Amino acid sequence: MTDAPELLLAHHLKTLRLLTFLREHDKQARICAAEGVDHVRYLARLTELELIDRERRMVERRIKSAKFPAVKSLDSFDFKAIPSLNKMMVLELARCEWIERQENVIALGPSGIGKTHVALGLGLAACQKGLPVAFVTAAALVSERLPAGAGSIIWRNVIPGTA
């Protein structure tokens, strides 16, 4: 014989797309019962787990959608290797307020100094803040936007990405 309330709960949670709730409710119920936690705290734990998991999945979707060639954070960037790079400015850019102000960031410099790593780090920071990101190298942008015989291009609101 099946447990009708359990099946009904599973059905409702699937319908509402509360997948973490569905996966964790029984485990959390046992933990809360052992700890003497009331039903409100039990529900609060489940909803917190659901929210954390949803945010994680949304960040993962934004990262996938950005089409980064690699996922790199600013935490792994060696600022000491490029002393001329203003670390505080880069960390300020990682707050992503420039995106909300609809400003652009352009990284210029010779090959191998970390422009792409910084761009990837800024893009990852934007994804984590809930902003949509499209990673495009300057070379790809030029070849995509420049029709044969065109003399000029205007770029607006390009999310981080350099050659």
Side-chain angles (χ1 to χ4, degrees):
M1 190 165 120
T2 61
D3 186 6
E6 184 69 29
L7 290 174
L8 187 59
L9 175 61
H11 172 74
H12 290 327
L13 292 174
K14 284 178 189 174
T15 302
L16 292 169
R17 296 184 179 155
L18 296 171
L19 304 179
T20 305
F21 212 108
L22 175 63
R23 186 179 64 246
E24 295 288 328
H25 78 89
D26 193 46
K27 174 183 165 188
Q28 289 300 318
R30 286 193 303 273
I31 292 170
C32 288
E35 294 175 358
V37 172
D38 63 24
H39 69 282
V40 173
R41 286 189 176 84
Y42 162 71
L43 290 172
R45 284 184 185 183
L46 281 173
T47 54
E48 181 179 24
L49 289 172
E50 184 72 40
L51 286 170
I52 289 168
D53 198 43
R54 282 185 182 202
E55 179 59 30
R56 180 190 55 76
R57 288 191 316 264
M58 285 192 308
V59 169
E60 287 173 357
R61 280 192 300 273
R62 285 192 289 279
I63 289 170
K64 185 177 179 181
S65 174
K67 298 183 179 167
F68 294 130
V71 178
K72 295 184 179 185
S73 72
L74 293 173
D75 293 337
S76 64
F77 187 77
D78 184 9
F79 285 95
K80 291 178 185 171
I82 307 162
S84 62
L85 181 60
N86 184 337
K87 180 178 180 179
M88 295 310 295
M89 180 189 65
V90 173
L91 297 177
E92 175 65 26
L93 290 172
R95 294 178 57 198
C96 300
E97 293 171 358
W98 61 276
I99 297 171
E100 294 164 11
R101 293 189 304 263
Q102 297 183 347
E103 296 173 354
N104 297 314
V105 172
I106 299 173
L108 300 172
S111 245
I113 64 166
K115 297 181 305 291
T116 299
H117 190 140
V118 170
L120 291 168
L122 294 176
L124 179 62
C127 287
Q128 292 168 336
K129 293 188 182 316
L131 299 167
V133 174
F135 183 89
V136 181
T137 64
L141 189 61
V142 168
S143 67
E144 177 184 311
R145 303 283 180 183
L146 187 60
S152 63
I153 297 177
I154 298 173
W155 291 308
R156 294 193 55 152
N157 300 326
V158 177
I159 303 299
T162 62

